[in-house]
């Protein structure tokens, strides 16, 4: 309905800004409307977004319940793209809980579906998730490959918020592989950009807090990052010290 669509827009804006209480309220209203009229597609979508909100706040049990219900509904409807989206979010939840094997399975399955549909935004999300999993498991070459495809695809479709999200994953990988200053430069760009979603900002701040750099070095690297443009970012991302980004 028109009301549900308006509420969904408000919920998306609230989530982007990190106003999770408002996002939850709007999504619950959408869920009530969708259930009243029997719109199973809108029910599944509202459950998916509620799961994402709960995960962003660290509420794992609630997130899993919403996301699993959305997955089940999408499977019953034969909505494969809805299935892929639910699996992506379940992968995010598993990654948050350090259940890396489960996260990898979710992302791999969703990526297969997205490739079948030429859904490039979905492919970016799944590839970035696979990059995160590979980096967490110490498979850095595999992580680089996934992030390279994710970043170049996001750049090609000109999805700026999604590109900035991928940069946080690359920054985490750079930090793990001893490139802390370059990691901070990437994070400086992310934090300075007006299109960066709240969740990406939170992740960037968490990565910064984990780094072992002096305050002056940190500040200088952040400032360098703020000055990067898109072309320079691309050049820097794939110029690792071992020159393996492009191999």
């Amino acid at each position: 309905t028109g009301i549900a669509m308006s509420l969904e827009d408000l919920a998306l804006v609230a989530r982007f800004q990190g106003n999770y209480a408002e996002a939850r309220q709007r999504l619950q209203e959408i869920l009530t409307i969708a259930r009243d009229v029997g719109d199973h597609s809108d029910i599944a979508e509202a459950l998916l977004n509620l799961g994402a909100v709960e995960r962003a706040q660290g509420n794992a049990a609630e997130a899993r319940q919403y996301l699993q219900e959305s997955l089940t509904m999408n499977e019953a409807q034969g909505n494969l793209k809805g299935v892929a989206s639910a699996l992506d979010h379940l992968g995010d939840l598993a990654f948050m809980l350090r259940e890396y094997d489960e996260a990898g399975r979710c992302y791999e399955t969703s990526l297969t579906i997205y490739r079948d549909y030429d859904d490039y935004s979905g492919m970016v999300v799944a590839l970035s998730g696979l990059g995160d999993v590979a980096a967490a498991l110490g498979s850095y070459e595999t992580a680089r490959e996934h992030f390279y495809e994710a970043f170049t695809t996001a750049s090609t479709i000109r999805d700026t918020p999604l590109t900035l999200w991928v940069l946080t994953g690359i920054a985490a990988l750079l930090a793990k592989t001893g490139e802390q200053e370059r990691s901070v430069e990437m994070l400086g760009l992310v934090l300075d950009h007006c299109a960066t979603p709240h969740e990406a900002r939170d992740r960037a701040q968490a990565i910064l807090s984990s780094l072992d750099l002096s305050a002056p070095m940190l500040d200088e690297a952040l400032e360098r990052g703020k000055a990067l443009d898109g072309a320079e970012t691309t050049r820097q991302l794939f110029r690792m010290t071992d020159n393996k980004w492009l191999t």
Side-chain angles (χ1 to χ4, degrees):
T1 67
I3 294 175
M5 291 179 64
S6 297
L7 289 170
E8 184 176 10
D9 289 341
L10 291 172
L12 289 173
V13 171
R15 182 180 162 199
F16 182 90
Q17 296 174 338
N19 189 345
Y20 296 121
E22 181 179 347
R24 183 186 293 108
Q25 179 184 341
R26 302 304 182 193
L27 290 167
Q28 288 288 3
E29 291 171 1
I30 294 170
L31 186 59
T32 298
I33 293 171
R35 283 176 168 160
D36 285 346
V37 301
D39 189 327
H40 297 293
S41 178
D42 279 357
I43 293 172
E45 184 71 15
L47 290 167
L48 177 78
N49 288 315
L50 280 165
V53 167
E54 296 298 342
R55 180 194 53 76
Q57 293 195 288
N59 302 326
E62 293 87 345
R64 192 182 302 279
Q65 181 177 344
Y66 284 129
L67 295 173
Q68 193 61 53
E69 188 175 352
S70 178
L71 175 63
T72 300
M73 289 193 70
N74 280 306
E75 287 175 335
Q77 296 169 49
N79 181 0
L80 291 182
K81 291 181 75 172
V83 168
S85 188
L87 286 170
D88 267 338
H89 286 286
L90 284 166
D92 292 342
L93 177 62
F95 184 81
M96 182 184 81
L97 298 174
R98 300 186 180 183
E99 299 169 355
Y100 299 129
D101 288 342
E102 176 63 19
R105 284 191 290 270
C106 289
Y107 293 135
E108 286 283 6
T109 304
S110 66
L111 179 60
T112 298
I113 296 171
Y114 287 135
R115 287 197 194 281
D116 286 343
Y117 281 89
D118 290 331
D119 185 331
Y120 295 107
S121 294
M123 288 165 55
V124 172
V125 173
L127 286 163
S128 184
L130 286 169
D132 286 333
V133 169
L137 294 174
S139 300
Y140 299 135
E141 286 303 310
T142 300
R144 289 185 181 103
E145 292 171 3
H146 288 315
F147 282 131
Y148 177 77
E149 187 177 357
F151 180 81
T152 53
T153 303
S155 299
T156 298
I157 62 175
R158 299 185 179 184
D159 188 324
T160 301
L162 200 51
T163 303
L164 291 162
W165 173 255
V166 175
L167 288 180
T168 65
I170 294 172
L173 174 61
L174 288 168
K176 287 177 180 291
T177 54
E179 296 280 337
Q180 291 198 55
E181 287 191 58
R182 292 189 59 217
S183 173
V184 175
E185 290 176 5
M186 295 298 104
L187 296 174
L189 186 154
V190 170
L191 291 169
D192 190 57
H193 205 293
C194 62
T196 301
H198 188 273
E199 196 168 350
R201 292 184 186 278
D202 283 348
R203 187 182 190 193
Q205 291 289 0
I207 297 169
L208 282 176
S209 67
S210 71
L211 299 178
D212 184 25
L213 287 176
S214 67
M217 291 179 67
L218 192 68
D219 290 341
E220 289 173 9
L222 282 171
E223 288 301 315
R224 289 197 299 273
K226 292 178 182 179
L228 293 176
D229 61 19
E232 179 61 20
T233 301
T234 304
R235 286 192 293 271
Q236 289 211 18
L237 280 177
F238 306 115
R239 190 182 69 247
M240 298 293 287
T241 54
D242 55 7
N243 293 318
K244 290 183 178 179
W245 272 102
L246 296 175
T247 60

